[in-house]
Amino acid sequence: MSGTTVLWLRADLRLHEQRALYAACAPGTRHVLPVVCLPDVQACSPWGFTRLGLHRRAWLACTIQNLSKALQDKGQQLLILQQPAVRALPALARAAGARRVVCEAIAAPEEETEVAALRVAGLQVHTIWHSSLLDPHSLPWPVAQLPPVFTAFRQAVERAAVQPPAPLPLPVPGHLPPWPKRVPGQSPCDQAALLADFAGAPVPADARSAFPYADAALHPGAAGEAGALAHLAQYLARGLPHRYQRTRNDLLGLDYSSKWSPWLATGALSPRLALARLRQFEAEHGAHEGSYGLWFELLWRDYFRFLHLRHGGALYRARGLGPARATPHDAAAFAAWCAGRTGQPLVDAAMRELAATGYLSNRLRQVVASYLIHDLRCDWRAGAAWFERQLLDYDVYSNQGNWLYIAGRGTDPRGGRRFDPLRQSALYDPDGTYQRLWGTAPVPVAGQRGAMMLP
């Protein structure tokens, strides 16, 4: 084994429950070089827009900055690179005298292609699976036999009483192997400049947001592991898990849902630690349908990961997992949907919130996805790409799985889900408060039945 290991941090930007870090520090390793490769902010989707919007860029930049500080506190450093990993890591490994790279395993096509390219370049890449709550090897069946429906998956997991591994302890402070001397470090000023350039124009805080990440006065957490742990602690301390099932479909406010997803998406929060703390909460305050609902949602998150392990690139075909069929697309209707100008008040309000804040409730994500696919007759992949750009809590597994589910091209036994926006408005925004907040509330027109939309 080489005495130097490159630790390539991907969607696991934390130190707690950091199994890739433990693997990188295996016996025989004298030096560890932690590195993050910034995504290309100019990269475009096939639909003609950049893949990384300002909200995601700002959230990710702050997350990386927090990780850098955490490593400094443990006597280590983080190297931030602007080039793609397939170009940057072979050159870095040569400079550091390393052949071994340790990184998170991500079972999505682009991410697997990156690892394959590094191996072709001569690097020994050791991948670690640690993004799911449950260990894939602990399931009641091999992943290749994963049930085709989530309910069957959940019921089998619960019958077998499958539990996640206990979270790993943090590494002992000051005991991480140091950087190799052959690689010069980055000054705090250099890192700050790189991250500021990556983040782009500052994103103004919006007091209407259900997740006002840009305004510390409105939200108790911040990007990165420190913010994740602080948010989790206050969420549990306030007893909010017991409210979760009752409020999870609300559209307004900070506390209607757990808001764990922004930290889970970057890996700043491990789902195993989140569940371990939730179980402690239940032991002290009692289990409840609300706390069960959080377990339920973490299982959904796992299921989409295991679907990728089973089906891989098939999840990215227009047909998804179903038979070949037409996939219509209306470019003008799609553009109106992105801009929040379809004329459907609830959909437009949601799309305006998404654009302004980078966040949207789970209920509204389903409503707008359904409207794009089933009412506007647009390609589901275009909607998935727009969410990839806009959502600060974008997660490749959950995004793809949810869009396939709504489109009826994934594992939904009903063959797709259509949400009637008028009925959804009546159920979840009966007095129009949410739609008024985002400037789309319908108002009566004198002498006419129906309504018109405010500009």
Side-chain angles (χ1 to χ4, degrees), residues 123-149:
L123 296 177
Q124 299 169 358
V125 184
H126 180 44
T127 59
I128 305 293
W129 180 269
H130 64 171
S131 74
S132 60
L133 179 66
L134 304 178
D135 186 325
H137 298 102
S138 72
L139 299 177
W141 0 249
V143 167
Q145 298 174 17
L146 186 76
V149 177

Side-chain angles (χ1 to χ4, degrees), residues 105-332:
I106 302 178
E110 289 185 6
E111 288 78 2
E112 290 188 326
T113 298
E114 285 183 311
V115 170
L118 292 177
R119 288 173 174 154
V120 169
L123 296 177
Q124 299 169 358
V125 184
H126 180 44
T127 59
I128 305 293
W129 180 269
H130 64 171
S131 74
S132 60
L133 179 66
L134 304 178
D135 186 325
H137 298 102
S138 72
L139 299 177
W141 0 249
V143 167
Q145 298 174 17
L146 186 76
V149 177
F150 168 73
T151 299
F153 162 79
R154 176 184 59 79
Q155 290 173 343
V157 163
E158 292 178 340
R159 279 196 304 269
V162 179
Q163 294 297 320
L168 293 171
L170 283 169
V172 178
H175 285 221
L176 295 179
W179 261 35
K181 294 180 181 179
R182 298 164 63 176
V183 179
Q186 281 176 330
S187 72
C189 290
D190 289 339
Q191 284 200 352
L194 279 172
L195 291 174
D197 183 62
F198 172 76
V203 179
D206 194 318
R208 298 174 295 177
S209 176
F211 189 77
Y213 71 95
D215 190 339
L218 293 175
H219 194 270
E225 182 175 24
L229 298 179
H231 175 78
L232 179 63
Q234 66 85 26
Y235 184 80
L236 298 173
R238 294 165 62 206
L240 294 178
H242 283 174
R243 291 179 45 194
Y244 175 76
Q245 202 67 11
R246 186 173 73 253
T247 63
R248 62 184 296 271
N249 283 313
D250 289 354
L251 311 182
L252 294 165
L254 301 179
D255 296 329
Y256 64 74
S257 64
S258 72
K259 303 299 195 316
W260 294 354
S261 63
W263 290 283
L264 288 169
T266 59
L269 176 64
S270 160
R272 292 172 185 174
L273 180 69
L275 184 71
R277 299 281 171 85
L278 179 65
R279 294 294 188 234
Q280 292 173 9
F281 170 88
E282 290 180 322
E284 296 172 10
H285 304 285
H288 186 274
E289 65 172 0
S291 56
Y292 175 81
L294 291 165
W295 154 262
F296 184 94
E297 295 301 328
L298 288 172
L299 283 186
W300 255 120
R301 182 177 179 273
D302 266 17
Y303 185 63
F304 288 139
R305 279 160 166 70
F306 300 148
L307 275 181
H308 275 73
L309 287 175
R310 178 179 177 183
H311 296 288
L315 298 171
Y316 293 77
R317 304 178 302 192
R319 60 187 279 193
L321 301 180
R325 52 177 154 157
T327 306
H329 188 64
D330 183 328

Side-chain angles (χ1 to χ4, degrees), residues 359-379:
Y359 192 81
L360 198 59
S361 69
N362 181 65
R363 170 60 49 179
L364 288 175
R365 294 183 199 202
Q366 296 179 81
V367 171
V368 300
S370 164
Y371 193 76
L372 180 72
I373 296 166
H374 301 298
D375 292 76
L376 298 181
R377 304 287 294 165
C378 289
D379 193 321

Side-chain angles (χ1 to χ4, degrees), residues 55 78 276 293:
H55 295 294
L78 179 67

